[in-house]
Every structure is written in C-alpha cells, then in structure tokens.
C-alpha cells in the first residue's frame, strides 16, 4: 500500500505514521506537512531505521497545486489520508481565514489531484473529519452518521464544508471518497494548547488550570492509537461514499478529566502543590458546544473496530509520556504559541 498522508507532523498524523509503519511491513508513505506552529518534525524522530526507509517526508502546503500535482505524478498512490488541518477551535474564533484556506481549499486541491490521477482506477481518499460537524447535543442522544450537519464554530464549519465537498466529489465523479468523524483524541504528541496536554503542563508548573465556564461540557475521549486503527480499517475496507463515526464510548465532563489528571500527576510526582486549588473557572468559550457523544455502531458492525484502550489506562500512559517528554513540550511551546496563549486567556 502506497499512501499520501497529509498533516503527518501533527498530533494524530504522526501517531498514524507510527501505527501504519509498525503494523504493515508493506506500507510505504509519503508524508506532506507545512509544519505550521502545530507541526513538529521532531514528532517523527523516533521512527526506527527500517520504517524510515519506507517513509518520505515532504515539507509543503496542501494548497500548493504544483507540489501536490508533482507528488501524484511521481508516486502511484493507492490512497490519500488527509489529516492536514487547522484544528484548534479557540484559534478559529480569533481568526478563521486560515481555517477556510487550509481545511476547505486545501482539501479541494487534494481532491482535484486525486481525481486527475485516479478517479477511474480508484485512489481511495479518506477525509479525516470530526464529530464537531454535527454541532452539539443536549443531555441525551448520540450523533449517528445520519445526524444532519449543524456546525456552530468557524473550525467545525470549515470541516463540515470539506465533508460536503469530499462527498460531492464521490457523487459527481465517482471517486472512492470516505470520511471518518472522530471524537476528542488524547495521547502522545498532542500540542499543549488542547485541554489535556495544556492542563498537564500547567499543573507541573503550578500554574492555574483554566476551565471554560462551569466545566460541565462533555467530550467523548478516545486514545489516539485507537483512532489510528479505525482510520486504517476505513481506508482498507470502508465502503466508498460512506461516513464512519469513531468514538470511545467514554463521555466525561471537562472537570472530571481535569481532576483525573491532577490525581494521577500528584501520585506520579509526589508533588503536594499539584491539586484542585489550581483550577480556575474562566469566561466560557464563545459558542461552546455543550456535549458530544458518538454512536459508532457502523464501524463496529461493518468493520469490526472497537476502542481498545480504557480511559484510565490511556490517561496514565499519556501522563507518563508527557512526564518523560517535558523537554518536548517546552520546545513546541514557541513564541507564536505564547502570543496566542496571552491573547486567549488574558482578562478572562
Ligand atoms: P494538529 O493541529 O495537531 O496537526 C495538524 C497538522 O496539519 C500539523 O502538522 C500542521 O503543520 C499540518 N498543516 C496545517 N495546515 C497545513 C497545510 N496547509 N498544508 C500542510 N499541512 C498543514 O491536528 P490533529 O489534532 O492531529 O488533527 C488532525 C486531523 O484530525 C484534523 O483534520 C482534525 O480536524 C481531525 N480531528 C482531530 C481530533 C482531535 O481530537 N485532535 C478529533 C477528530 C478529528
Ligand atoms: O471533538 C473533536 C475535536 O476535538 C476536534 O475536531 C478538534 O480538532 C480538537 O481540537 C478537539 O476540539 P475541542 O474544542 O473539543 O478540544 P479542546 O482540547 O480545545 O477542548 C476540550 C474541552 O475543554 C472543550 O469543552 C473546551 C474545554 N477547555 C479547553 C481548553 C483549551 C477548557 O475548559 N479550557 C481550556 O483551556
């Protein structure tokens, strides 16, 4: 299997590269990434030498028509997995322009190239989407693949637009397009602007833990490698034109997650200053979706996928990784990130 995988030096993309090269000795990957603030080539440095021979990294933009065309001409790809995106909701609230450029126009550029190079022969195109495209839920119910799209923030609106476009390419040109819509991931290599790594970093530094609003917003947390297995299964065996929801059946309130992080961190470090006294409720995120929950029946029954990592295990594994990689965290927390942090959190 020869794949073009975009967004490989970000959180989920880099985990997917490790997953696929570890589990499929025949896999060959070309990884395309612009290395924005969220992309870090260091994320791929632990690839063993043997895997490295089957992986080629290309620094570039999914919007670059000439580059994408060249990659498709040089390599006979069997498939494309598009992880590349602007992915942080709070940044999209600050300024959504780049979200539209990358998430919508970038996806269109990749779809166009896949169409030129394999509509007839079937370059499978997997668009990595999100449960956020469905909007928010009340206290009960779950998103199924039939739930109408109702995104409520500029990030999720851009992802929903890309989903519509990808499915339109399937219906219009017969391209074998697939979509996964996953819930919140956590695990190694997640940029410390997202809830879990941000709280871990702040707690270790005895800095306030900024919980938006009442902290009772619910997310369904899935360990990143379980998501990667789902992506591989859909790519190999999913039905073209179909959407597959992916979720952990693991709905937790944000405050529960933060308290869990604090208790494991205190236990691991023995540091008595790591405690709930660090929690600060701050002004809520504008348009903050209250609850997400995923019905993953389709991927379970059609493809046999199950989440394998219980939350308790995944959280401990994640915390141990961040404790062992404190230098990684400090290196990715660049000047640009510090500017964003100051703007997002000051005065709230
Ligand atoms: P991330 O922000 O960690 O990584 C995104 C990567 O895309 C970065 O390496 C960045 O450099 C790259 N990128 C951005 N713009 C690019 C461009 N124009 N050209 C090439 N590369 C570009 O994001 P993530 O959390 O790993 O998310 C990956 C995908 O999964 C996204 O599409 C996101 O919408 C989706 N998703 C994420 C989650 C989650 O919980 N993190 C859940 C469901 C779906
Ligand atoms: O649901 C899938 C989505 O999950 C992905 O599509 C996005 O790319 C990914 O970023 C994530 O979006 P969220 O907005 O759910 O993730 P985030 O980690 O930013 O926030 C998780 C919850 O925690 C959310 O309810 C907001 C809250 N939060 C977040 C931050 C950063 C806080 O209370 N305080 C914070 O400082």
């Amino acid at each position: 299997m020869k794949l073009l995988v975009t967004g490989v030096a970000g959180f989920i993309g880099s985990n997917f590269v490790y997953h696929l090269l570890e589990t499929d000795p025949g896999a060959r990957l070309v990884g395309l990434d612009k290395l924005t603030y969220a992309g870090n080539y260091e994320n791929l440095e632990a690839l063993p030498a043997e895997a490295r021979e089957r992986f080629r990294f290309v620094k570039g933009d999914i919007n670059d028509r000439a580059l994408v065309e060249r990659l498709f001409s040089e390599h006979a790809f069997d498939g494309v997995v598009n992880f590349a995106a602007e992915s942080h909701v709070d940044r999209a609230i600050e300024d959504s322009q780049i979200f539209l450029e990358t998430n919508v126009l970038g996806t269109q550029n990749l779809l166009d190239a896949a169409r030129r190079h394999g509509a007839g022969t079937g370059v499978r195109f997997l668009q990595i989407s999100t449960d956020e495209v469905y909007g928010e839920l009340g206290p009960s119910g779950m998103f199924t693949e039939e739930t109408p799209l109702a995104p409520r923030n500029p990030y999720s609106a851009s992802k929903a637009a890309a989903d519509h476009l990808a499915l339109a390419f399937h219906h219009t040109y017969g391209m074998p397009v697939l979509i996964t819509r996953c819930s919140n991931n956590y695990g190694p290599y997640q940029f410390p602007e997202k809830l879990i790594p941000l709280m871990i970093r702040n707690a270790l530094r005895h800095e306030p833990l900024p919980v938006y609003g009442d902290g009772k917003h619910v997310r369904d947390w899935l360990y990143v490698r379980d998501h990667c297995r789902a992506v591989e299964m859909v790519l190999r065996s999913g039905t073209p034109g179909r959407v597959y929801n992916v979720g952990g059946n693991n709905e937790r309130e944000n405050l529960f997650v933060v308290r869990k992080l604090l208790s494991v961190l205190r236990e691991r470090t023995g540091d008595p200053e790591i405690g709930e006294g660090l929690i600060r409720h701050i002004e809520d995120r504008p348009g903050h979706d209250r609850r997400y929950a995923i019905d993953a029946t389709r991927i379970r029954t059609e493809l046999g996928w199950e989440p394998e990592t219980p939350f308790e295990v995944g959280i401990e594994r994640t915390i141990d990784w961040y404790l062992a990689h404190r230098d990684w965290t400090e290196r990715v927390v660049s000047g640009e990130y510090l500017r964003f942090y100051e703007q997002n959190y000051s005065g709230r």
Side-chain angles (χ1 to χ4, degrees), residues 41 70 93 101-102 119-120 138-139 162 172 192 244 246 259 277 282 284 298 307 328:
Y41 187 70
R70 180 167 63 73
I93 292 167
E101 285 167 9
T102 289
T172 309
Y244 291 86
V246 184
R259 290 190 177 121
I282 65 168
D284 211 349
R298 175 176 288 170
W328 176 91

Side-chain angles (χ1 to χ4, degrees), residues 87 130-132 155 184 195 210 212 219 254 285 288 345:
S87 69
T130 167
D131 60 358
E132 295 206 11
Y155 160 71
N184 286 61
L195 181 77
Y212 297 163
R219 297 291 183 266
N254 292 339
R285 171 187 278 175
H288 196 176
Y345 293 95

